[in-house]
Amino acid sequence: MLFSLFAGNGSAAQPGQEVRTERIRARMEKAFGGKAKLSQLEYITYTIARRSYANLDTIHTTQLWYMHLKKPSLIKLGISGTDTVSSKCQTAENRGSSPACAALLRARFYNFLYLLTSPTVQFSWLKKTTYKGMKVDIIRVSEKSAPELRLDIFVKGNGEIATTSTISATTGKYERFADEFEYVELEGGIRFPLRYEVFADGKIIAEGWFSNISINQHKAEWQRLIGQLSAEPG
């Protein structure tokens, strides 16, 4: 069974929820490069290649992202064959008026580097459990300005993220899990998982790979595409 409760057998007094939350968050920050290095992050660019499995079909998608972590400035380039489609969000005012901007900001919420650096994200420890034989703590993160944005993160003892999920409003259970793999050190000492796999009912339904990740600077390929689209990041 993927998901089973882990019960501690000690009788000593346990720390409160707030203390547990801070301990787990500090552990996560350390696993992703340390609080000092994370605080220096301003923006990232990266490529993500995805494969989704539906029925007997495999759907391939590739996206290039410019993602500012401290202000609502994002650009997504969707690459399909020789076509490139861009979506932008570059001002705070766009948040409520543009569905495309809202979608980009929602996508940013699920980026771990944003979660660990944003002052508007709240952390709350839920419980200890096991996932695929690993002892983990579940931390719930949510956006202060948009409480409907929330995610439950299953954190391993070393601070790395084993998987993430959300509770289904219909069943009240975790139904999908996004497992994280291949943590590597990026420029500036930041660490990040390069691969994920999404499971439902024990079967893989999607997977993705991050590449060309750049911290606080633009790669040449990204600059070329931005120039073609006349979409300079703000």
Side-chain angles (χ1 to χ4, degrees), residues 34-93:
K35 190 171 184 177
K37 292 175 181 176
L38 288 169
S39 69
Q40 297 173 15
L41 278 173
E42 292 190 8
Y43 65 87
I44 58 176
T45 61
Y46 59 87
T47 301
I48 181 167
R50 295 187 175 99
R51 284 204 298 248
S52 300
Y53 309 107
N55 299 321
L56 298 177
D57 295 329
T58 301
I59 301 171
H60 299 263
T61 59
T62 300
Q63 296 174 349
L64 277 69
W65 278 83
Y66 164 91
M67 181 178 292
H68 206 291
L69 302 174
K70 297 184 178 180
K71 57 183 179 180
S73 180
L74 303 98
I75 298 177
K76 178 183 73 174
L77 305 179
I79 312 298
S80 178
T82 59
D83 297 327
T84 299
V85 178
S86 66
S87 300
K88 294 190 295 181
C89 178
Q90 291 182 271
T91 66
E93 289 75 16

Side-chain angles (χ1 to χ4, degrees), residues 109 120-123 140-144 146-147 149-151:
F109 172 80
T120 64
V121 172
Q122 296 177 308
F123 284 65
R140 176 165 295 169
V141 292
S142 59
E143 184 69 75
K144 293 179 183 177
L149 291 179
R150 62 178 181 269
L151 181 69

